[in-house]
Structure formats: C-alpha cells, structure tokens
Amino acid sequence: ALRHWQGAQQVSLPSHPGILGESVSNVSDRRHFMRVRVDAAGTIRSAGKQASHVLTSLATAEALLDVPPQTTWPAGQRVIVQRGF
C-alpha cells in the first residue's frame, strides 16, 4: 500500500514457480499465505509452524505460498510463490 501511495507502478511481489517438497493443506474456509523456504533447486518447504504468534517461521521464510481455502496439494505439485517481502 505504501509503495502504491508513493506512486510506484509495480506494487506486487515478484513471483516464480517451484515444486512442493512436502504436501500442503488448508482445511479452513479462508485463504492462507504459508511462510515457506525455497532451496537452490526450487523445492518449496514450510518454514515451520504457521501460527500467527510464531515468529521464527516468519524470520526464516523466503517466500509466501498462497493456498486457497479447502485445498490440499501433494508433494511434487508445481506452485507459484511470492518473494521479496
């Protein structure tokens, strides 16, 4: 929002594809932005516990994975992550 108010034309985070190294599940009715790490081969794994009070996963995260409500993706699924936060 701040970049937009300052007149930036490009305000979205850079994104790139990767492969899930582990299954991902969002059983809730709300969209979930999962904190993840991406290795040199492009494999995406959870950065740790995803609870809002857990700061270690936020501190070690390298990207966000947008997981829609009621979604389960198996390991090996191609996904898009957002980087640069």
Side-chain angles (χ1 to χ4, degrees):
L2 291 175
R3 291 188 336 186
H4 177 73
W5 293 333
Q6 293 172 339
Q9 298 297 313
Q10 178 66 7
V11 294
S12 61
L13 294 173
S15 61
H16 68 84
I19 303 290
L20 287 177
E22 56 194 27
S23 64
V24 170
S25 187
N26 178 7
V27 296
S28 80
D29 293 327
R30 298 185 324 183
R31 183 179 185 183
H32 182 65
F33 287 92
M34 185 175 183
R35 296 167 273 200
V36 296
R37 295 184 57 84
V38 183
D39 68 16
T43 303
I44 298 164
R45 296 184 190 280
S46 171
K49 291 190 178 219
Q50 299 294 311
S52 61
H53 70 284
V54 179
L55 297 181
T56 52
S57 62
L58 181 60
T60 60
E62 299 169 331
L64 295 173
L65 176 61
D66 184 359
V67 185
Q70 303 296 316
T71 300
T72 298
W73 289 324
Q77 173 82 31
R78 289 185 58 80
V79 295
I80 303 291
V81 294
Q82 298 176 345
R83 296 189 95 162
F85 58 92

